[in-house]
């Protein structure tokens, strides 16, 4: 082999070694950033630390807290701020960007941002020593004084927390609720606050029923073959009464109501009757010790397929 050929072969071998066997060398450098963070992602696939048992939850802001209220407001996917998930993305938009939105393709966007995430796992920059903190909006700011005046939850203005809600959600710095689902399993949302479901007064409206065409023994409701004339006889503890009668129908709608305090243990009897000239026929009886909180939360008490004669019975429930 000639001298020139020798050096060409040697150079080629060295090139292969230094370039990873001839593959592409995408040198995408990443600078970890844990400024103002105690835990969570450092922006480069690493972590900024783990939380102690005394404050085991890591918020999206990278702070360890004792308790945490999940929040998925405006998010379709990604973290809920407490280590849980706000959902997964469908196949039509499989990528979850850093802002919790499902997209078909993640496009980095640092418009109006100086620091923090670019939405796709990258960084919009790091903050200088003069203003070392990065806000959720991606703006650098100097050290600040936390301010929780008039607030019991939410952001303290310095990426910290003014507290978390044990029952309900944080609404502009105050623990409250917008729907019954915002409250725990024993509470309802009443006048924007989570309150205990039992031990308060409700308006129960006897709305409707669906009755079979014949009695359970397959005979006609009336002697002459007519449809029933339904009404509801009710008893809540010591309070009892009847609704109006709806003539000749298998789908009565009463719209009569009673105001009653619901408790965990009480005598509840609701009987759908067929009014006759002499003795009234019992269509079906519903006996309960309590109306479940889940029905109170839904705003209606519904029972279906009660027996062969009464197929459906609906009572609306509204707190007073």
């Amino acid at each position: 082999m000639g001298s020139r050929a020798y050096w060409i072969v040697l150079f080629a071998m060295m090139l292969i070694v230094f370039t990873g066997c001839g593959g592409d060398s995408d040198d995408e450098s990443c600078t970890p950033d844990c400024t103002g963070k105690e835990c969570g992602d450092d922006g480069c696939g690493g972590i900024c630390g783990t939380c102690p048992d005394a404050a085991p939850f890591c918020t999206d802001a990278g702070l360890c807290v004792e308790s945490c209220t999940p929040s998925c407001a405006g998010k379709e996917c990604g973290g809920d701020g407490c280590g849980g998930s706000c959902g997964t993305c469908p196949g039509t938009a499989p990528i979850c960007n850093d802002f919790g939105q499902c997209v078909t393709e993640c496009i980095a966007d640092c418009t109006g941002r100086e620091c923090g995430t670019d939405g796709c796992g990258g960084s919009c920059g790091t903050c200088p020593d003069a203003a070392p903190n990065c806000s959720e909006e991606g703006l650098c700011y100097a050290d600040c004084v936390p301010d929780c005046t008039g607030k019991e939850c939410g952001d303290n203005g310095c990426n910290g927390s003014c507290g978390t809600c044990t029952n309900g959600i944080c609404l502009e710095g105050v623990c409250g609720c917008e729907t019954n689902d915002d409250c725990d399993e024993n509470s309802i949302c009443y006048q924007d606050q989570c309150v205990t479901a039992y031990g308060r007064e409700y308006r129960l409206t006897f709305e409707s029923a669906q009755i079979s065409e014949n009695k359970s023994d397959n005979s006609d409701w009336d002697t002459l073959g007519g449809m029933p004339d339904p009404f509801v006889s009710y008893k809540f503890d010591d309070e009892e009464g009847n609704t109006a009668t709806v003539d000749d129908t298998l789908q009565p709608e009463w719209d009569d109501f009673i105001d009653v305090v619901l408790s965990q243990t009480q005598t509840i009897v609701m009987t759908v009757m067929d009014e006759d000239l002499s003795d009234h026929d019992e269509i079906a009886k519903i006996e309960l010790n309590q109306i479940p909180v889940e029905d109170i939360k839904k705003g209606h008490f519904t029972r279906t397929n009660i027996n062969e004669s009464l197929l459906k019975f609906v009572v609306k429930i509204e707190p007073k």
Side-chain angles (χ1 to χ4, degrees):
M1 179 183 297
S3 175
R4 181 178 180 181
Y6 171 81
W7 287 111
I8 291 175
V9 172
L10 181 61
F11 178 80
M13 292 177 65
M14 294 176 64
L15 181 64
I16 290 173
V17 170
F18 285 108
T19 58
C21 298
D24 295 334
S25 60
D26 294 332
D27 184 21
E28 296 181 1
S29 60
C30 182
T31 302
D33 184 10
C34 289
T35 304
K37 301 178 71 173
E38 304 170 318
C39 55
D41 187 10
D42 65 0
C44 295
I47 60 173
C48 293
T50 56
C51 292
D53 293 339
F57 297 98
C58 183
T59 66
D60 286 346
L63 301 177
C64 296
V65 294
E66 181 178 356
S67 60
C68 189
T69 301
S71 176
C72 289
K75 300 181 71 174
E76 303 173 316
C77 56
D80 63 2
C82 298
S85 173
C86 291
T88 56
C89 292
T92 53
I95 299 173
C96 183
N97 66 20
D98 293 346
F99 304 120
Q101 302 300 312
C102 293
V103 294
T104 55
E105 179 185 1
C106 194
I107 300 175
D109 184 7
C110 287
T111 304
R113 300 176 69 88
E114 304 170 317
C115 55
T117 179
D118 63 1
C120 298
S123 174
C124 290
T126 56
C127 293
D129 293 340
N133 304 296
C134 184
S135 69
E136 291 185 2
E137 293 76 23
L139 301 177
C140 297
Y141 62 94
D143 291 338
C144 64
V145 178
D147 183 10
C148 289
T149 304
K151 301 177 70 174
E152 56 184 351
C153 58
D155 188 12
N156 65 3
C158 298
N159 278 340
S161 174
C162 291
T164 56
C165 300
T166 57
N167 190 7
I169 60 176
C170 190
L171 301 170
E172 298 182 357
V174 179
C175 293
C177 58
E178 295 177 335
T179 69
N180 287 327
D181 291 336
D182 295 333
C183 304
D184 67 25
E185 59 184 7
N186 298 312
S187 305
I188 62 169
C189 185
Y190 180 65
Q191 295 182 346
D192 300 326
Q193 294 294 313
C194 290
V195 297
T196 304
Y198 291 124
R200 63 184 59 255
E201 189 176 29
Y202 294 85
R203 172 158 292 181
L204 273 63
T205 303
F206 301 94
E207 282 200 326
S208 62
Q210 183 177 343
I211 302 169
S212 63
E213 294 183 5
N214 301 100
K215 297 181 181 180
S216 57
D217 61 4
N218 209 35
S219 62
D220 294 330
W221 288 106
D222 288 344
T223 305
L224 300 179
M227 290 187 291
D229 306 308
F231 70 93
V232 181
S233 176
Y234 55 82
K235 179 180 179 181
F236 287 80
D237 298 325
D238 297 328
E239 188 165 357
E240 54 186 296
N242 300 318
T243 68
T245 299
V246 184
D247 296 331
D248 298 318
T249 181
L250 297 174
Q251 296 180 321
E253 295 181 1
W254 295 285
D255 205 34
D256 289 1
F257 64 85
I258 177 176
D259 294 334
V260 60
V261 175
L262 297 182
S263 67
Q264 289 179 285
T265 55
Q266 63 187 153
T267 302
I268 302 174
V269 180
M270 293 172 283
T271 308
V272 181
M273 305 289 294
D274 173 24
E275 184 177 285
D276 292 321
L277 293 177
S278 53
D279 294 332
H280 305 318
D281 294 329
E282 179 181 303
I283 298 175
K285 179 182 290 186
I286 303 169
E287 297 185 62
L288 298 170
N289 291 325
Q290 61 173 272
I291 295 180
V293 176
E294 60 186 38
D295 287 335
I296 298 175
K297 282 177 173 284
K298 289 187 295 186
H300 58 85
F301 167 87
T302 302
R303 292 295 180 270
T304 57
N305 297 326
I306 299 161
N307 60 23
E308 294 180 2
S309 298
L310 185 59
L311 307 179
K312 187 175 182 180
F313 183 64
V314 182
V315 178
K316 184 167 68 174
I317 307 172
E318 301 172 286
K320 293 198 67 182

